[in-house]
Amino acid sequence: MVQIVIIGLGSGGFAAYLAIRRTKPDAFITIIDKRSYDMFSPCGMPYAIEGIVNLDKLSFSLPGDKQTTKLLLHEVVSINPVEKIVKANNLKKGEILSISYDSLIIAHGAEPFIPPIKGAKENLGNGVYVLHDIEDARTISDRAGNAKKVLVIGAGPIGLEIAVALRTKRLEVMVVEMLSFAMPRALDRDMAKLVEQSLKENGIKLVFEKSVESIIGTPVSSVSVGGKAIETDMVILASGVRASFEITKNAGIEHGKWGIKTNDGMETNIKGIYAVGDCIETVSLINHRPVMMQLSSAAYRQGMVAGTNAAGGYDIYEGALGTFVTVIGILEVAATGFNEFFAEAAGYQTISGKAHGKNKPEYYPGAKDITVKLICDAKTGKVLGGQALGDGAGAIINVISLGIRCGIDVFSLARTEMAYCPMAGENYNVLNKAADFAVRKLEKGR
Ligand SMILES: Cc1cc2nc3c(=O)[nH]c(=O)nc-3n(C[C@H](O)[C@H](O)[C@H](O)COP(=O)(O)OP(=O)(O)OC[C@H]3O[C@@H](n4cnc5c(N)ncnc54)[C@H](O)[C@@H]3O)c2cc1C
């Protein structure tokens, strides 16, 4: 009987497990995770800190069966691709266990990046925190209960979600970002301004183009930012995640600049070994160049592909767009594809179409502002990316994501028929409007 081992029970590992069961119901599956508890949803943690959801509700049990072995509190320490054996350390007993496999799926994710700031590593857990697992969320919540001030390092979606959560808990919140605007990987400066405005209205202080040089005191009492001491009771590091590649490199698995390399079947250079999620580098669906895409939705889809193929089926993952949505305070923020910076860095000359509108007619109660921006290739009109802010932003971005996947240009997007009724939309949809503006700019340039 086929033996499939999965390292890591996160988004990628879970999806792989379900796909294996669907493809080969009688396969033996061993899932190894170093955590002490079963599945959980990291994406819900900021909302648990905010008090919107119960932290205990974020974890749930993997639907088990006779053919599945779940080894929690086991940390994989080596992979031997010749003998097809994985070694795992039983963290409770300190014993090493050898587990054989026919196919292996590496889904071990990545760990929070600790920036080289004086005092960051030393104070981790004692005034300096990361948000990676349930224990972190609990610690941050507890500490926030008797803190007055918090400083968040990093203005990406996760940093901002945490900032809003702690502001809701009535802490004084400051966010420090090295780059010059919020969510710089996903948004353009003009769109980020609206996010920043919403954060400021919420009472969150934002500091751009500055780095935290040191974290002072044990327990933490202040930080030095641009040579200025700023008092704080806690520091949250939200500077991204990095995978550790020691195990996979020792096993001879090929890596690119960003992570483990795979083909479109999620298989590594070693036959029968697959890799998915935050530990891999994938390709951009737009220009097929390597990218890092650390999103749960990408990990899940890759896990489905790896699980299907590892169990003898066939599926492919063609690449990622980075389609995401978040809600920062009351502002829904979503984006897909390239922003202007990344489009130009990829060699495109771009034009954009940006439109403001309402998610319902002005006269309808509860009509809210919505802003949509499309980025397209100035030569062909091909849509390269989209950004949306306001109620319904995620739904609009999903349409753009589908369009990019199908190679749509702004001419077709402008003509795309959108549903309308006063309760649920505008007659002249803001996405059509943004596409029309881009079309006009393109036609002017011809
Ligand atoms: C606060 C927060 C909010 C987020 N919000 C969103 C969101 O809204 N939308 C979105 O798309 N993404 C979001 N993400 C990102 C998303 O959670 C990750 O991209 C996703 O979890 C990656 O899945 P994965 O399977 O690669 O890794 P993970 O889900 O991290 O799972 C990896 C697992 O491997 C285990 N492991 C690691 N090393 C070993 C080892 N040596 N041996 C055994 N087990 C090991 C770990 O314990 C872990 O359980 C968020 C992340 C965080 C932290």
Side-chain angles (χ1 to χ4, degrees), residues 357-373:
K358 297 274 178 193
N359 62 345
K360 296 170 191 181
E362 195 98 48
Y363 63 77
Y364 199 88
K368 301 244 177 69
D369 291 330
I370 181 148
T371 304
V372 174
K373 180 172 180 179

Side-chain angles (χ1 to χ4, degrees), residues 79 106 108-111 241-261 275-281 292 294:
I79 299 165
I106 300 165
H108 63 45
E111 301 293 325
V241 291
R242 302 255 168 104
S244 153
F245 297 120
E246 207 184 310
I247 298 166
T248 45
K249 280 191 173 159
N250 286 343
I253 293 169
E254 214 181 302
H255 293 66
K257 185 176 172 194
W258 309 110
I260 300 170
K261 276 181 142 178
V276 302
D278 281 4
C279 60
I280 70 154
E281 79 172 26
M292 189 171 59
Q294 292 168 323

Side-chain angles (χ1 to χ4, degrees), residues 367-427:
K368 301 244 177 69
D369 291 330
I370 181 148
T371 304
V372 174
K373 180 172 180 179
L374 285 167
I375 289 98
C376 70
D377 181 358
K379 283 193 195 127
T380 61
K382 189 177 157 186
V383 178
L384 302 171
Q387 298 158 41
L389 306 174
D391 282 20
I396 285 184
I397 286 304
N398 286 340
V399 174
I400 302 173
S401 171
L402 174 67
I404 298 177
R405 177 172 191 82
C406 300
I408 203 165
D409 56 35
V410 275
F411 306 100
S412 296
L413 197 48
R415 291 193 295 261
T416 299
E417 189 175 273
M418 304 276 177
Y420 157 67
C421 97
M423 255 179 104
E426 254 290 29
N427 204 354

Side-chain angles (χ1 to χ4, degrees), residues 8 10-12 33-35 42-43 76 107-109 131 277-278 294-296:
S11 300
D33 201 295
K34 63 181 180 179
R35 275 195 327 246
C43 313
V76 170
H108 63 45
L131 182 59
D278 281 4
Q294 292 168 323
L295 284 171
S296 186

